[in-house]
Amino acid sequence: MTETTHTQSMPPEPPDGAFEPYKPRSPEFRAAMDALRGLRQELFHDAFAYRPLPRASTDSRFARRLPGRLREYAAWGPHALIGAAGLLAMSIASDSFNGAAVNLLLGLLALVPVLLTMVRPVGAFWLSMAATPVAAVLGSDWGTEWPWLAGSFASHLFVLTVVAIRTRPRTAAWMWVLTAVYGVVAQGLTNDQYVNFDTVELLFLSALALLGVTVRHIRSDARQEVTAQQTVTAHERSRRTLLEERTTIARELHDVVAHHMSVVAIQAEAAPYRVENPPPELEKAFVTIRENAVAALTELRRVLGVVRAEDYEAPDAPQPTLADLDALLANVREAGLTVDKGMTGAVRELPQGVELSAYRIVQEALSNTLRHAPGASARVEIGYVIGGLGLRIVNGPPPRTALLKPSPGAGHGITGMRERVSMLNGEMTAAPTAEGGYEVTVFLPAVTAAEGDA
């Protein structure tokens, strides 16, 4: 016989001192409490906090078209618009038959809340709400509007719009709801049949204004998000380009170093057979050299082999050097580029990594000339100096009658050249020339064995 125990979940014990058992809150109750907390946070917490209206940017499309002095004044454009709106509301409020003193007071009640939006936006809303019944009592007359007089109507509409621009859409929504509540309550408290109720008109116009402001906020946020995403994308693209170029350089260096280490191992193995009756010490030394070369080659392939893609195949032909530069120049001449070459200094053999990087830099610079300055002429200058190799690739401006248009680029070629130069501890400058062309100058340090012995 099997005995089954049923466990019934019990509600938590009531707190100490409570007289009623604990009851879970309904979703509606929690939603209402969240709404009240949102109302308190948006319109009551630090309602009169000092938040001055910042000046407008002078880099906008409209401000850039203005002369210097007017551009400085354009920065105060938002303040001037708010001031003009306040004066308009003041003129509307003071246009009544209640006497000069009452008209002045009504004008101030309409003006001050609008001006206050420039320093204390939420406080301006509460001041407008408080000034509305005061103005209604002072300026009420037969056939007037209720509960907003004409001046209060314009002032409150301006306040709602400006505060919505300066705050969040949720704050504007709460202001609109409180305005509707006040209008409904004020209309319910009067039974005067000679007044014109204008709550619906105010709510409709303010809803249109708040809708436009909300759409503006959404577009501004979306534009900022797109700008931030484009910045991140450009940064990631630059990093990816840099990593790809480093991978290419690592592959090439792997091929160069692996070739030399293989030659060292083969020569160390064959060297004892070239000497008749070599002493045991010499044979042992060559064996040690070969073992170290093979071990270094294995470690090199293990470390640098990870940069090879699965479908990467080592080139059958040897890596290019400066001796292959004439073939490169002939190739770009066939593509339509007029290019000259100049050499200074005593031509000598340089380390293979330096010659390979120099060849790639000249190749990329000439490719940039073909893309960005079609029809222009170029010149390649190579200088063999003490301690290294100097390069200068310069092109002129593209002719105005060129059939091909320049091709836009992302600057990846310059990034690759800089990476090659930096890995060899060299120096590089790339900048436009005064004639409208472009110039790339590079110095690659390279000390040969002869210079090192000297």
Side-chain angles (χ1 to χ4, degrees):
M1 182 175 182
T2 304
E3 181 179 357
T4 305
T5 303
H6 297 277
T7 304
Q8 183 177 2
S9 59
M10 299 297 291
E13 294 293 334
D16 294 339
F19 296 99
E20 295 182 359
Y22 173 81
K23 295 182 179 180
R25 303 297 186 183
S26 63
E28 293 80 5
F29 179 82
R30 289 196 297 269
M33 295 303 297
D34 292 341
L36 291 177
R37 280 193 295 269
L39 173 62
R40 183 171 62 252
Q41 179 68 25
E42 298 293 335
L43 296 182
F44 290 91
H45 182 68
D46 291 337
F48 286 86
Y50 181 68
R51 293 176 52 193
L53 178 65
R55 292 191 298 175
S57 174
T58 56
D59 295 333
S60 62
R61 188 187 312 173
F62 172 75
R64 287 197 298 265
R65 298 178 180 177
L66 299 176
R69 180 65 64 179
L70 290 180
R71 184 181 301 178
E72 296 179 2
Y73 292 153
W76 298 99
H79 303 76
L81 290 177
I82 295 176
L87 293 177
L88 176 61
M90 181 179 181
S91 63
I92 296 174
S94 60
D95 186 15
S96 66
F97 301 98
N98 297 301
V102 175
N103 286 340
L104 178 60
L105 184 57
L106 292 175
L108 293 177
L109 290 176
L111 172 65
V112 174
V114 178
L115 297 182
L116 191 62
T117 58
M118 290 188 287
V119 289
R120 306 182 191 275
V122 179
F125 166 75
W126 287 116
L127 181 60
S128 179
M129 291 291 292
T132 297
V134 176
V137 173
L138 292 177
S140 61
D141 198 359
W142 182 84
T144 57
E145 295 80 7
W146 181 267
W148 279 276
L149 299 182
S152 301
F153 188 100
S155 176
H156 197 69
L157 181 60
F158 293 151
V159 168
L160 286 176
T161 304
V162 175
V163 178
I165 294 174
R166 298 204 57 200
T167 57
R168 297 182 297 179
R170 187 171 62 181
T171 305
W174 277 118
M175 292 188 304
W176 189 86
V177 170
L178 291 181
T179 300
V181 170
Y182 169 77
V184 172
V185 172
Q187 288 186 180
L189 294 178
T190 181
N191 55 1
D192 191 348
Q193 59 180 346
Y194 297 106
V195 298
N196 300 320
F197 297 110
D198 53 1
T199 300
V200 175
E201 290 82 354
L202 178 61
L203 293 179
F204 177 75
L205 294 178
S206 59
L208 291 180
L210 297 184
L211 179 61
V213 172
T214 303
V215 172
R216 177 178 176 273
H217 278 303
I218 294 175
R219 290 190 58 186
S220 177
D221 294 341
R223 189 182 300 111
Q224 293 178 0
E225 185 177 355
V226 169
T227 302
Q229 188 63 34
Q230 289 177 347
T231 303
V232 173
T233 302
H235 180 68
E236 292 297 329
R237 186 185 299 112
S238 177
R239 289 187 59 188
R240 185 171 63 251
T241 303
L242 189 62
L243 292 176
E244 291 175 355
E245 189 63 29
R246 287 183 177 180
T247 301
T248 303
I249 296 173
R251 288 170 177 169
E252 295 174 347
L253 290 179
H254 173 269
D255 297 335
V256 171
V257 178
H259 168 72
H260 287 293
M261 295 302 295
S262 299
V263 172
V264 170
I266 294 173
Q267 290 179 347
E269 184 178 7
Y273 299 99
R274 298 183 180 183
V275 179
E276 185 177 0
N277 297 323
E281 294 80 3
L282 182 60
E283 292 183 354
K284 184 178 180 180
F286 279 119
V287 169
T288 303
I289 293 174
R290 181 182 182 281
E291 290 177 352
N292 289 333
V294 172
L297 184 60
T298 303
E299 185 67 19
L300 176 67
R301 287 172 176 169
R302 185 184 68 82
V303 174
L304 294 183
V306 297
V307 302
R308 296 188 182 275
E310 295 181 357
D311 56 348
Y312 176 77
E313 297 180 359
D316 297 332
Q319 297 292 339
T321 62
L322 290 177
D324 304 309
L325 192 59
D326 292 335
L328 173 64
L329 298 182
N331 189 18
V332 296
R333 289 190 185 105
E334 292 179 358
L337 178 63
T338 302
V339 56
D340 298 328
K341 184 183 76 169
M343 299 185 66
T344 58
V347 179
R348 63 187 186 277
E349 184 178 357
L350 299 174
Q352 189 170 356
V354 174
E355 295 218 1
L356 174 61
S357 296
Y359 180 91
R360 296 299 189 198
I361 290 172
V362 174
Q363 184 182 38
E364 185 61 38
L366 295 178
S367 299
N368 288 341
T369 302
L370 288 172
R371 285 194 298 265
H372 305 301
S377 60
R379 178 173 177 79
V380 178
E381 298 178 359
I382 303 174
Y384 289 86
V385 297
I386 298 177
L389 178 71
L391 299 174
R392 179 175 180 267
I393 306 95
V394 59
N395 64 269
R400 295 183 178 181
T401 58
L403 299 178
L404 298 178
K405 295 183 179 180
S407 175
H412 294 170
I414 297 295
T415 302
M417 287 190 284
R418 291 190 185 279
E419 184 63 18
R420 289 182 179 273
V421 173
S422 64
M423 293 188 69
L424 295 175
N425 295 324
E427 299 178 359
M428 171 181 166
T429 59
T433 61
E435 294 78 12
Y438 205 82
E439 180 181 4
V440 176
T441 58
V442 175
F443 174 74
L444 300 177
V447 179
T448 60
E451 293 174 352
D453 295 338

